[in-house]
Amino acid sequence: MSKPKLNVVAIDGPSGAGKSTVSSELAKALGARLLDTGATYRAAAYIALQKKATSEKAFERIARELDFKISRDGKTLLVGGRNLGVRLRTERVSQMASFISQFKGVRKVITSKQRSVARRCSRHNPVVVEGRDIGTVVFPDARHKFFVTASPKVRAERRYEQLKARGVRVSLHSVLAEQAKRDKRDSTRAHAPLKCATDAIVVDTSEMTIKEVVGLLEKHIAGKT
Ligand code: DC
């Protein structure tokens, strides 16, 4: 008899594809908890910046000391019991997260923490786990796997609008350039690069609204497509 699949919905894809919004809306619709694994790398990056850490060993030590939980309402990652919120969303933290997530030792420690957080929750409810390597490395045994993507232009435009709405002054050109840099690093790194699992359903959101994407994912989960 084959092993039962884990009660996890894996959502992978590049930044700006609408993954975060889709994941949180889907979790809401399913009554599931949400684990944002990007936030786990961002938390390590934020602390590394605070401590001015520069070596692989130091990044790994920081990762080992992190304590992750999901908040009671199932929506937020707590780091040492705290919601680090917008502190994890700066461009500096984004680049640092992309940088430290290249290191094998850092990934090993963080992956193991992600597994225990999601496993603990998935005993009672489904868990939507959002990231880059969820369907391939963290939970290859996830019950549902999606790869949410969009064209580079659309992704950069969405990110630009988001930053503008937050009052951040940037040009679309610089957002595109930063995105290209991050994409390249995330998909060419030696360990667990951004890759679509062979058994994942690919959803191109370039021409779709969030509502349409969530609806499509729900249909797949319910086995109605
Ligand atoms: O999804 P995000 O933009 O919040 O992720 C921040 C960085 O963390 C991203 O550049 C790559 C890394 N990351 C990763 O390597 N593996 C994951 N499962 C999630 C994020």
Side-chain angles (χ1 to χ4, degrees):
M1 211 167 70
S2 64
K3 224 170 111 192
K5 298 240 181 204
L6 211 65
N7 206 1
V8 160
V9 181
I11 304 204
D12 291 305
S15 55
K19 227 177 8 156
S20 301
T21 320
V22 165
S23 301
S24 85
E25 289 298 314
L26 181 68
K28 223 190 288 170
L30 298 175
R33 297 193 162 233
L34 174 70
L35 174 59
D36 169 7
T37 62
T40 62
Y41 287 98
R42 285 172 182 271
Y46 173 74
I47 293 167
L49 285 168
Q50 270 193 330
K51 294 195 169 172
K52 300 191 168 51
T54 51
S55 73
E56 188 176 342
K57 278 277 154 269
F59 299 147
E60 207 179 306
R61 202 174 320 119
I62 287 168
R64 226 177 288 123
E65 284 166 8
L66 290 170
D67 160 58
F68 297 127
K69 270 197 196 75
I70 297 180
S71 61
R72 267 170 178 270
D73 65 7
K75 294 181 186 162
T76 313
L77 179 82
L78 302 179
V79 185
R82 282 195 310 154
N83 174 7
L84 294 177
V86 291
R87 277 168 283 192
L88 301 185
R89 305 290 147 190
T90 62
E91 200 47 52
R92 239 178 120 220
V93 170
S94 299
Q95 291 299 337
M96 187 63 162
S98 173
F99 178 67
I100 67 166
S101 64
Q102 298 176 88
F103 298 110
K104 193 176 175 183
V106 172
R107 298 203 72 82
K108 195 168 163 221
V109 173
I110 292 192
T111 295
S112 141
K113 292 187 185 225
Q114 291 166 350
R115 285 187 183 133
S116 33
V117 172
R119 284 222 173 93
R120 217 176 303 139
C121 306
S122 72
R123 274 186 226 131
H124 310 290
N125 286 307
V127 189
V128 174
V129 185
E130 177 211 335
R132 302 283 197 288
D133 58 343
I134 310 307
T136 49
V137 174
V138 185
F139 291 116
D141 51 349
R143 192 167 292 162
H144 303 283
K145 296 184 188 180
F146 297 100
F147 192 83
V148 176
T149 187
S151 72
K153 185 167 170 279
V154 167
R155 288 164 45 217
E157 279 166 1
R158 287 179 184 161
R159 175 95 183 123
Y160 172 69
E161 290 304 328
Q162 253 176 14
L163 291 170
K164 220 168 62 174
R166 271 195 238 147
V168 181
R169 287 178 62 181
V170 280
S171 68
L172 179 59
H173 181 75
S174 73
V175 173
L176 245 167
E178 285 299 321
Q179 177 182 278
K181 222 161 77 181
R182 202 142 77 92
D183 277 358
K184 181 151 189 257
R185 195 154 55 200
D186 291 347
S187 53
T188 57
R189 68 177 174 227
H191 309 293
L194 168 68
K195 201 168 72 182
C196 180
T198 49
D199 51 350
I201 294 166
V202 180
V203 181
D204 186 333
T205 69
S206 303
E207 309 276 323
M208 291 171 86
T209 64
I210 296 290
K211 212 170 151 198
E212 286 168 339
V213 180
V214 175
L216 181 67
L217 267 49
E218 277 190 281
K219 270 194 193 160
H220 275 292
I221 291 169
K224 289 184 193 151
T225 52

